[in-house]
Every structure is written in structure tokens, then in C-alpha cells.
Amino acid sequence: MATFLYRIGRGAFRRRRLVTLLWAVILGAAGAGAATAPAAGDDGTSFMPGIEAQRAFDLIGERFPGSDADGADARIVFVAPDGEKVTAAGHRAAIDAFVATAGDGPQVASAVSPFTANAVSEDASTAYATVTYEVSSGDLTDAGRTALEKAVDEARDSGLTVEAGGSALSSQPAAGGAAEAVGIGLAAVVLLITFGSLAAAGLPLLTAVVGVGISIGTILALGSALGLSMTTGTLASMLGLAVGIDYALFVVSRYREERENGHDPREAAGLAVGTAGSAVVFAGLTVVIALAGLSVVGVPMLTKMGLSAAGAVVVGVLVALTLVPALLGMWPDAVLSRTARKRGTAAARHTGGAGGGGSRWARFVLRRPVTVLLACVAGLGVLALPAADLRLGMPGAEAKPVSTTERRAYDALAEGFGPGFNGPLTIVADVRGASDPEAAATTVADAIRDTGGVVSVSPPRFNPEGDTALFSAVPATAPNDERTKDLVQTIRAERGGLEDGTGATFEVTGSTAMNIDVAQALQDALVPYLSVIVLLSLLLLMLVFRSVLVPVKAAVGFLLSVLASLGAVVAVFQWGWGAGLLGVEQTGPIMSLMPIFLVGIVFGLAMDYEVFLVSRMREAYVHGERPAQAVVSGFRHSARVVAAAAVIMIAVFSGFVGSGESMIKTIGFGLAVAVLFDAFVVRMAFVPAVLALLGDKAWWLPRLLDGLLPRVDVEGAGLTGRSAPASGDRPAREPVRT
């Protein structure tokens, strides 16, 4: 592996103009494809095959073909001024005028007046009109939205408070450009401090932006064909930018080190790609495994997000291995420190990059391994405690800022009609097996109406064939209330008795039931998903480090960091600790996709730091150093760069906390704190403490596995003849075997 990548690095350096031109062509092609591709539609983030709510939704589409269950809708809420009623003549006329105007809009299927649909609150202070469309929200034209917005504005001129909910006018999250700009700016500062050179700081930023541009351009170009949403692209850009900067950072750092060791520019580029590039390849593979593993969960949208982000990581790896050495060939001395450029690289080996702080910290941990280990486990354990109270859900309009009309419409409906009105349950009854279909449907509706926690049930509505009935049940509690979840389970538990008595069966769906089922399915899928990625990554790390205990230690450290990050997410977004500082206006259940997505990404990133840091320790150990000294050597060469890489990732992820999209905000925060815990607690303290206690046993590998595992030479042993030894001329050591 190292020799192969060494040749790639030298080849890219030698053919730098051709390599740079090829990447420019790829970037231009991706940009042209994005500019000419049609806009992507809705990716169906709430749907998951196999769950009851999805089966019921599909049955509605099959038995009620004219209803267009996927059609966009708008619920326009009218609130009368204090002391007045919406039924007053002037207000009623304004509402009727709105219904007439909205009904004549483009793509509108129907507009229903609140006075004919019994959609007026008991005190007549609030009413709502429902506008449905013939197409989904993704296919709704600007003309359709503009016509509805104009009708809403006209109604507001009458003196009524008018707010709009539903999918037709749902506000889209802002594009991630501002977040990426913040992340890049902070990364530039960190890189400048780390390298002390504008060129060295700018090169990782430039190559990362190229990689992200190619990835996002490709996602936009394929968005319409593959159903990739803005959320998919945002997450891919988030990860692509973070790993792109980090991977380039490690190659540039190793190049500077090899130049300080006296190698000429072309040889230094080859050695940098052969050594640091090997770590980049395997670190990238762990991230790709974790992201691609999201496909085993069974959520189509999650699969798209994972595969798109994995593609961005692959692009970042390829850029680091080829474009970075090509650009180093363009300006071979520009990335060196000012001292190295003035005095010459031979003199710089005695002045640069010794990583004194890293060595001192490693020796501190080696003197007190038990104390440091216990402090790490206890500290992360305390931070993980809130994770025990994790509640999953799918926050809707109630999680939006109060500045949005969707949130104000949600609050107005909850106040006028009750908290459960914003999340009605839809029941579809299959009465084909009943002798009297109408009586069977009525019996089912009456039984659900009599269930505790149900406020009201609408009359059953039959399809043209008369074999399926549809009705709604309004809970007494809000959609994300635990009592609503219990109510759904209670209603479903009544199915067996009703089926025996009527010959009819029913299923529960609607957005509330869909979110409940998705959360449960994701919770059930978490353990199998963890098993898959942990097993595959353990095998990969065993191949990289030729050790059994080092990969196990890496997995344990990952569990500590991910549980602590989940605890922090719960404390902020569910309990509300410091929520105001992050712009979180409504606390509640954590988005059901969040834990499994966070676990996947954090696992990949945790293995990134494991490979980068421990590979230098193994490199020193294989070249003859004792275990404790190898730990110090690994920190001397890698600690500063790993810390800089972690700070950059934290900066990039923190930039997305300002997103208006709740999922992006939560994931950005979760990833930022996860990197903080994993890089600065687990990898910088937990890892050296464990290795100090294990000694030579850390590199133990059974003879059977040693014979079965292929040798990939990540530590660059095959390049020893080309590179100056890390310390002295010690002979290479074989791993411990039994």
C-alpha cells in the first residue's frame, strides 16, 4: 500500500499540470451538470417501508386514487381580534373571499371553507380553511405558491390574523453557504496558527473546496433523478469539507516533515502520500463503511444521505492523494515555514515540528495511566447520563422559530382546537371481509371514539367501491407527547377484538403515527447497525494495525465519545440546557434519525483520529522503539496536527448549528461535541493511557490471524530505505504473536 501510494504521490508531483487540469475539468463538469439539472423534488423524509403507518398510507393511495395522498396542502388559520369572532359578518366575508380566491389558483384541487367543514373553534375565535393541490409540494410551481400567498395577504388586510401551515408554503431551510463560510474562516485561522504559512494554510482549504464543489455539483446534477434533497447535499458538504481539510492537512504536514528531514520536493511528496496517504486511505474507508452502513437501516432517505456523504468522503480522499501533491509540485517551497525557507530544509530539521507539547503530554499520561484512564471514563460517563432519557420523535412546525408562519399557525390551532389537533390520526378500515361494511366501519369508529385520550372522530368516508373507509381521530395530547404514542399503541391493541367482531380490520397512519413508527423502527435498527459497522471496522483496523487489542480499544473509546455526545444533545435539545444560546426555541424529542446518523458519522470520524494518531505510534514501534517511547513518538509527530484537524472539524460542524433546519442544527451540534470528546479526551488521553498499561501486548496478534491477514504496510516499512528513520537506526520489530 505505502509503495503504491508513494508512486502515486511522485507521479502526481511530476505530472502536476495534467493532474490539476483533470481536477479542474471534473469540477467544471459537475458545476455544469448542477446548473442545467432540474430541481430536485421531495425525498420523502417521513416514509419508511415495512411499518404499519406506511402500509396504511399505501393502502389509502391504492383504494382512494383520487385523494392523492402525496398532494401538497395548506391549512390557513384565521384568528379574530380579541373579543371578536370569526363568524362576524365582516370576518366571515373575508374568509369566504379567501376560499374563493385560493380555489381559483393554479394546481388547486379544492379549497374548503371552515364554515362548511365545521372547522371553527367552540368560542369562534379561530377557524381554518384547507387548500389541497393536485401535485406534491416538490412539484408545486412558483405561480401556485404566489397565488396562495397573495390570497393570504388579502385576508390579512381585513383585520384578521392569518397564518399558513401545511406543506404548500413550508419554508425551506437556508442553504448551507453561510455555515460553510464560517467553517472555512475558522479553519483558515487554525491552519495559519498550526503551519505559520499562508500557503500551507490555504492549500488544504483550496483542495477541500474543490472536493466539496465536485460532490455538491454531482448531487445537484443527480438530485432530480435520484430524489436527493437539500438536506442530503448539506450533510455531504458538511462532511466533505471537514474530512477534505483534514486529509489534505495530514499530507501537507508530512510533506513539510519530510522536507525538514532533507528530502527533495518530489521525494518528499512521494513519502508524504506513501505514509500519511496510507492513513488517509484507511481513515476514509472507515468513514465510508460507517456512512454506507446506514443503508442497512431501511430508511430510503437515510440511505441517500449516507451514500451521498460517503461519496463526498471518497472524493476528499482522492483529492488528498493526487491534487494535493500536484499543487505541492507547483509551489514546492511555499508551504514550508519561514524558518525553513530562509535557512534551508537541512537546518530546519533541528528547528521545526518537534511537537514538544505533544511529547510532554504523552509523558504525563504515561506516568499516570490509571488516573488518566479513570478520569476519562468517569468524565465521559457523567456526560453520557442524559442519554438514558433520550426520547425520539420527528419535530414538526412546533420546532420552527416563532418568526415563521408555520409555527404561529401551529400555536393558533393548538390554542383554538386543542394540542392534539395538530397531529390527527388517520385510520383506514378495510371492510372487504365484513357482511355489512357500513356497520363494521361505524363500529370501528365508535370503538376508537370511546378510547381514552381521543377527543373526536370524524364520520367514516368510503371509497367508490365501498370496501374501504377512512376517518380521522384527534388525540387530546400534542403529536410528540408520550401519551400520544401510548394512545396509538392502545388503538392498535384493540384491532384483534374488533376484527373478530366485525370482520373488518384497520391500520393507523398520519404524520403522528408515521413519526412514532419511524422512531421505533430506527430504535430497533440501532443495534444491528452498530454490529455491522463495528465488525467491519474492527476487521479493517486489525488489518491496519495488525493487532487485536488496539481495534477493541478504539471501539470502546468510540462508545464513550458517542454516548457522551448523545448525552449533550439530550441536555440541550430535549432538556433545554443552554438551548437559547444555540437558537433552539422549542425543546422536545430528539429527531428520530439523529442518533443512528450521529453514531455512523462519529464512528467514522473517531476511527479517523485513531488511524492518524496510532499509525505513527505503530510506525515508531515497528522501527524498533519500545512501547512507551513509541507512544511519545506518535504524539511528537501527530498530536499537534491531530489537534488542529479536530479543531477544524469542530469549527466546520459548529457552523451548521446556525442552520434553520432542525435536523442540520442538531447534527451539527452533536458532531461538534462528539469530535471534541473523541479527539481531546479519548484519543489524546484515553488511548495513550490504555497503550501504556498494555505495553507490548497492545501489538499482540495470534499467529493464525497473522498468516491470514494480508500485509498492507500502512506504517511505510517498505519506504524505510527512502526515508530517514524516526529515531536512530533501530531494526524493525515484528508484532507480538502467540
Side-chain angles (χ1 to χ4, degrees), residues 361 365 368-386 552-553 555-565 677-678 680-690 693:
W361 171 252
V365 175
R368 305 168 180 82
V370 175
T371 302
V372 172
L373 182 61
L374 292 177
C376 292
V377 173
L380 293 176
V382 170
L383 290 170
L385 289 177
V552 171
K553 167 198 58 65
V556 173
F558 152 72
L559 290 175
L560 288 172
S561 59
V562 77
L563 288 175
S565 62
F677 299 151
D678 193 85
F680 293 103
V681 180
V682 173
R683 308 303 153 191
M684 294 293 183
F686 176 85
V687 166
V690 173
L693 294 173

Side-chain angles (χ1 to χ4, degrees), residues 430-442:
D430 188 343
V431 295
R432 288 182 300 182
S435 56
D436 187 345
E438 292 191 11
T442 301

Side-chain angles (χ1 to χ4, degrees), residues 30 46 69 72 93 141-142 160 213 217 227 333 387 392 395 407 425 493 514 579 600 624 627 667 681 689 725:
S46 300
T141 62
D142 291 339
L160 290 167
D333 295 333
L392 300 181
R407 170 65 184 276
L425 305 176
M514 184 75 73
I667 290 179
V681 180

